[in-house]
Structure formats: C-alpha cells, structure tokens
Amino acid sequence: MNAPVIDLTGITKTYGIGTPVETEVLHGIDLRLAEGEFAALIGPSGSGKSTLLNLIGLLERPTSGRLSIGGRDTATLNEAEITQLRGRSIGFVFQFHHLLPAFSAMENVMMPTIIARGAADDEVEATALQLLDAVGLKAHAHKKPGELSGGQQQRVAIARALALKPRLILADEPTGNLDTHTADDIFALLREFNRQTNCACLIVTHDPRLAARCDRIVRLVDGQIADDLPTA
Amino acid sequence: MKFRLPFAPLVALRFLREGRMQTLLILAGTTGGVAVIVFLTQLITQLQAQIVDRVLGSQAHVVIRPLEEANRRAIDDEGFATVIEPRAQRLRSVDQWENVARLAAGMEGVTAVSPVVTGPAFAVRGQANKSVALMGVDAERYRRIVRMEEYMVAGRFAVDGTRAVIGTELAKDLGIRLEDKLRVALPNGRDELLQVGGIFDIGNKDLNRRWVFVTLPLAQSLLDLPGGVSNLDLTVADIFDAQPIADRLKGATGLTVDSWMQTNAQLLAALRNQTVSNNLIRSFVIIIVALGIASVLVVSVVQKQKEIGILRAMGASRSLILQIFLIQGALVGAVGSVIGSLLAFGLLNAFSAIYRNADGTPLFAAELEPRFILMAALVATGVGLASALIPARRAARMDPVQAIRS
Ligand SMILES: Nc1ncnc2c1ncn2[C@@H]1O[C@H](COP(=O)(O)OP(=O)(O)O)[C@@H](O)[C@H]1O
Ligand SMILES: [Mg+2]
C-alpha cells in the first residue's frame, strides 16, 4: 500500500501569535487521505475548513503537528521546495474560481504548466484544449473569464486544477454560489476525474446531497474533527 | 513552431496591457524624462563641441615658447619676498628648436608641429598705418595647426619670397585687394614691401586685422631672429589630452609649454559648469521618473494582490513573482527610452529649424548620436529595473492565503 496522499498528525493553527487577538483555529487535527479517495469536508461556517485546506494545500504552514503530502514531510522542505510541491502535485478549486482576468480560459488552464515548465508549447496547448473540451468549454477557449458565466468559470477552474494531473485536488466550496443543476455538473466533473486518474480529492461543501455522494465525510466543528465516517 | 513567451515576461506584459491608463501614464513619464535628457545632452554636447571647435579653429592645441625671463629683486636680505618683473620685450628664439620640434613630433598624441616666428610690426599703405603681428610660417606645416585653407576668401594660403597672406579686416582698413602691395615696418627700423597673395577670414575680427603671414626666413630676418623661431605650434590627436602632453613636453624640455586648456581656462570652467548643471538636471529627471515608475508599480502590486496569490497557489515561486514586476519596470524603461529618443530627435529638428546663427545656418545639427540612444536605453532600463525593485519585493513577499481569502 502506498503512503497516504495526505497524512496529518496533531495539526494546530494559531493566528495572531503574540498579539491580544491570538486564536487557535485548529486544535490537533489527525487526518489521512489515501490515493483515489474522494472525501467531503463539512462543518459550520468558521469551523476552520478553509484554514485546514490551506494548510494541506501548503499555502500556509501549521503552528504545530506533522503534515506530509505525497509521503513527504513538509517540515523538512524549504520555501522553494514547498512551492514546487504545491505546483506539481496539488490542484486547487476555489469558491470564487480565482481565474486570472487578464488571460483567456485556455491560458488560465495552461498557467500551472507554464509555471512548472517555463513556457507553453504545442503539447501544452493541445492538453489545455482537451481539458476544456472535457469540461464542455472548447468553444469558449479564447474568452476571458469576465465573458463567462459563474458555472463556466468554475469549470475552467476545474480544468486548470487538473492540468498537471495532480495527485491531490483540494476544492473549497467549489459549488458554493452555483445553482443546483450547475453544482451537480461541477461535482460530477470532479468525481469523474477522480475515477479516471485515481487522485485523492478533499472537497469542502455545505450541500448534504453532494456530501452524500462522496466516499467519506469528515465533519469539522470548532477546529476539531467531530466525526469521520464513510458514506453508505 | 510558434514563439511563446516564458512565464514571467508573459505575465508582465499582460499586466501592463491590462493596466492601460497606469501603463500609459508611466510610459508617458518615462518617455518625457528620456526625451528631456537625450535632448539636453545632445544639444549641450553639440554646442560645447562647436564652441571648442571655434576656439581651436584659430589656435594651436599646444604652444612651446622660450622660458619666460624675469628679473628677481629681493626686497629683504632673507629673500622672503621677491618681486618678479617681466624683462622688457625682446624676441628670443626657442633654444635648439629643431631638436625640440623633433622631440615633440615623436611624442605620442602629437599629430603636427609647426615652427612660427612672430613679432610686432606696422602695416603701412599710403597714410594708413596699422599695428599687426608678423607671422613667419611654413604654410604647408602651419595648415596642420590652423586650417587656413578653409578660411581663405581670396587667393591661396601660400607664402613665398615676399608674398604674404592677410586678413579681411586689414585688407578693408588699408583698402588692399589681392595682388596689391603692402609695406611692413618694424620697430628695429627694417621694412619690406610685400605682395598680398591671399586674404583670409578666420571668423575673429581681431585676428583678421592683426595677422600678416610671410615666410619663415623673411620673418626671421625682419625680426632679427636668424635661424630661430619664437614658438612651436602643436596639434594633438585628442584635444583634451593637450594639457598632459604639454606637461610632458615641459618636463622633457624645460621650456614654457602652454596648452589651449590653460589659455582658455575660463572657457573650460564655464563648459564644466554647464556640464555640472546638465548632470544636475539629468539626476533630478531620473529621480522623478524613478519615483513615478515605483509609485505606479506599488499601486499595481496592491491591485494585483489576488492574481499574485493565485499564481503562487499554482506553484509560482517568489522569484518568479519578483521577476514579473522587475520586467514591468525594465520594459517601461526600455520602451520609454525608444519613444523618448524619437521625441528628442523631433525636438532637435524643431529647435534647429527655429534657432539659427546670424548667417542663417542652423545653430546645431538635428542629429542624434547612436551612443546617446544607447545611453538612454541603458539608463532608462536600469532606472526602470531599480524603481521596480521595491514594489517587486513587496509582491514576492505577499502572503498567498491572504490574497486568496479576500
Ligand atoms: N488570517 C487569519 N487571521 C486570524 N483569524 C483567521 C484568519 N483566517 C481565518 N481566521 C479565523 O479562523 C476561523 C476559521 O476560518 P475558516 O477556516 O475560514 O472557516 P470556514 O472555512 O470553516 O468557514 C474563523 O474564525 C476565522 O475568523
Ligand atoms: Mg471557508
């Protein structure tokens, strides 16, 4: 059995250390996610879901605890190695798509590859078009994000997250401000990619319907894991 | 295969394009700054070169003379103070001038040496009587000191036997035309009847009135200086090397050696002051342009906070983010220097059409030397880079999470 893609032990996160507003947001999180697992992260607003996702996504460092991604203990990595690990093995999908407004849909999808390889080439363009085709947006490849609807933007963001075939997809309320029908579409895309590539997925959602369609539901309450159960 | 920009320049260009108004503003500022600097520098360089050229048009770069004789009279016994008085005027020759001339000609940087015998005389014609300077020269050699042939308005610059060359003012004062006769009389009682074979206009009324060129031997006999010369005129390859060459000659010969830089010390000081004030203006313009670029980029970094966070989340390193903003600064500088140079060229054209010399010729040429364009490009790109440094570092240090959360 391979090392888990995510391996957290006793993770805490404290904001405002040394200030009067010092607050511990996460209190000792233990969490493992294996290859191919598709888990929902649920919990009330303010419970620390986004914070946890950002820690796993290596966008910030935990205050204490052990955090391994793809079998690598991140405490031993320097800033540049962390950045590279993040770029190559993690795909992000955010609630507000976070596409680059100055670049076309296709360029947005190519961006992680351009960053990783230095520049685009024919193959990178072909892959980007393929991905846009897979999310049903081939016809909109050259439009800027501003010219696309919310659902279309989120689909571009998913295509972008998949560009480097990451071993881990982190999605923070990817369907949060979409209508039910569009939300289902987006969710189905993530699920399909998970089946195709066997990547691990951790998806924050408020929608119990969608959570029920995951392999596993992790519930966070007040910075602690309240329960972690497989779905039926 | 299509050419595709690497990541940092790609994003830098796109950010600049996206920031339309801001980009236009810093570009305009940089362009204006470069135009002012290039225009001023080119103008001042040209005008200074012209002034120097005009001064040196009638002057040797270096002149070797006999040691100045002086009487020393002690005021007190210890000799603490002495009064130094020049001795009464008396023409003296440069000791062993042939050897000195050979030594000077062999010195590095010296391109021409011409012996000159000069002394005061009177030019007499009918009732008129003018004080002049008799100049005994070898015309061929003297031409390499002062380009007399360029100044001739009648006849040729050649002396032979009793044929002489005089200036337009003297010709006018005495009513002389080409091939007319002219008598010169000397304080020592000698005199000679000359025939005018050439008339020059050297662009200086005083010299046009005073200089009377004759052969070396004629001047030597008239001035009681048989076989001697009163000075050696030198031309050097680089005019600003004149002083060091003069110093070296002085050391080697022990004679009085003056360079044009000493003779025109005031002019040189004025030119230097002009250069200093030009540098001051340039520095201020550069500082203002740098502040402009830096402030616009600082704003841009704040505006692009979210994009920077996204790029970081997708694996862009701090150094790549740094590059994005440095490239923006360098690009603004480079493009500004190109447009600014064009603008400066336009300004030079306009000004040279408007400002003219008394005779209608342009005061300066409407040309831009490539070295100034190169200088502008290098300086502007460097300034762009330097002013982008602070904003770029801010961008690179930015916390990706904060950017993404907001
Ligand atoms: N940078 C920060 N500084 C201080 N407190 C923060 C910061 N980021 C998040 N928090 C706090 O941490 C808690 C958890 O936030 P978050 O992870 O966004 O919750 P969720 O995503 O579950 O709604 C909140 O109380 C929030 O105010
Ligand atoms: Mg959240």
Side-chain angles (χ1 to χ4, degrees), chain A residues 51 79 86 98 107 118 122, chain B residues 4 7 14 312 404-405:
Chain A
T51 304
E79 164 79 26
R86 175 169 68 228
H98 285 333
E107 288 169 324
D122 289 341
Chain B
R4 294 172 179 95
F7 173 75
R14 204 58 71 88
R312 297 273 285 126
I404 286 167
R405 272 202 199 251

Side-chain angles (χ1 to χ4, degrees), chain A residues 14-16 21 23-26 43-54 60 172-173 204 206 220, chain B residues 399 401-402 405:
Chain A
T14 306
Y15 285 116
V21 293
T23 37
E24 192 175 89
V25 175
L26 296 174
S45 182
S47 57
K49 303 183 297 293
S50 295
T51 304
L52 182 58
L53 224 62
N54 289 336
E60 48 190 335
D172 196 351
E173 302 188 39
V204 176
H206 281 301
L220 205 60
Chain B
D399 179 6
V401 175
Q402 201 129 27
R405 272 202 199 251

Side-chain angles (χ1 to χ4, degrees), chain B residues 244-280:
Chain B
I245 287 174
D247 290 341
R248 256 181 286 149
L249 279 167
K250 191 179 206 146
T253 63
L255 297 168
T256 305
V257 185
D258 288 324
S259 79
W260 72 275
M261 298 166 83
Q262 274 169 307
T263 330
N264 298 280
Q266 278 196 340
L267 172 78
L268 273 178
L271 293 185
R272 221 163 277 148
N273 288 343
Q274 196 181 37
T275 305
V276 168
S277 59
N278 182 34
N279 284 344
L280 217 66

Side-chain angles (χ1 to χ4, degrees), chain A residues 3-23:
Chain A
V5 178
I6 298 175
D7 191 351
L8 308 185
T9 319
I11 291 293
T12 70
K13 180 68 185 176
T14 306
Y15 285 116
I17 289 177
T19 71
V21 293
E22 182 173 316
T23 37

Side-chain angles (χ1 to χ4, degrees), chain B residues 347-360:
Chain B
L347 278 175
L348 282 167
N349 266 302
F351 272 65
S352 84
I354 294 168
Y355 295 99
R356 288 177 178 277
N357 288 318
D359 61 2

Side-chain angles (χ1 to χ4, degrees), chain A residues 24-199:
Chain A
E24 192 175 89
V25 175
L26 296 174
H27 324 285
I29 303 284
D30 297 325
L31 181 69
R32 255 155 294 274
L33 201 66
E35 223 174 21
E37 260 195 300
F38 195 88
L41 181 63
I42 63 169
S45 182
S47 57
K49 303 183 297 293
S50 295
T51 304
L52 182 58
L53 224 62
N54 289 336
L55 289 177
I56 296 171
L58 309 178
L59 289 171
E60 48 190 335
R61 299 233 186 190
T63 307
S64 69
R66 223 179 66 91
L67 192 156
S68 292
I69 298 297
R72 299 180 71 183
D73 183 354
T74 56
T76 65
L77 303 178
N78 65 26
E79 164 79 26
E81 290 166 329
I82 290 269
T83 301
Q84 196 176 39
L85 181 62
R86 175 169 68 228
R88 309 237 164 144
S89 38
I90 302 174
F92 287 96
V93 184
F94 304 96
Q95 178 174 5
F96 303 102
H97 66 79
H98 285 333
L99 295 173
L100 299 167
F103 291 86
S104 70
M106 184 162 134
E107 288 169 324
N108 266 285
V109 174
M110 293 195 292
M111 200 52 78
T113 321
I114 294 178
I115 292 170
R117 297 202 196 161
D121 59 28
D122 289 341
E123 185 209 322
V124 175
E125 282 188 1
T127 309
L129 273 178
Q130 241 175 318
L131 280 165
L132 282 173
D133 195 19
V135 298
L137 286 178
K138 196 173 185 178
H140 303 283
H142 297 291
K143 286 191 181 159
K144 297 271 169 75
E147 302 168 272
L148 301 173
S149 71
Q152 288 172 329
Q153 288 172 344
Q154 201 57 297
R155 279 191 274 169
V156 175
I158 288 175
R160 179 180 66 184
L162 305 183
L164 283 174
K165 298 201 171 31
R167 300 181 59 195
L168 174 62
I169 299 263
L170 299 172
D172 196 351
E173 302 188 39
T175 61
N177 47 355
L178 299 177
D179 61 73
T180 319
H181 180 69
T182 318
D184 282 356
D185 272 2
I186 297 296
F187 186 85
L189 272 174
L190 287 171
R191 192 63 169 149
E192 189 189 323
F193 184 75
N194 157 253
R195 294 216 166 96
Q196 276 173 15
T197 69
N198 205 31
C199 68

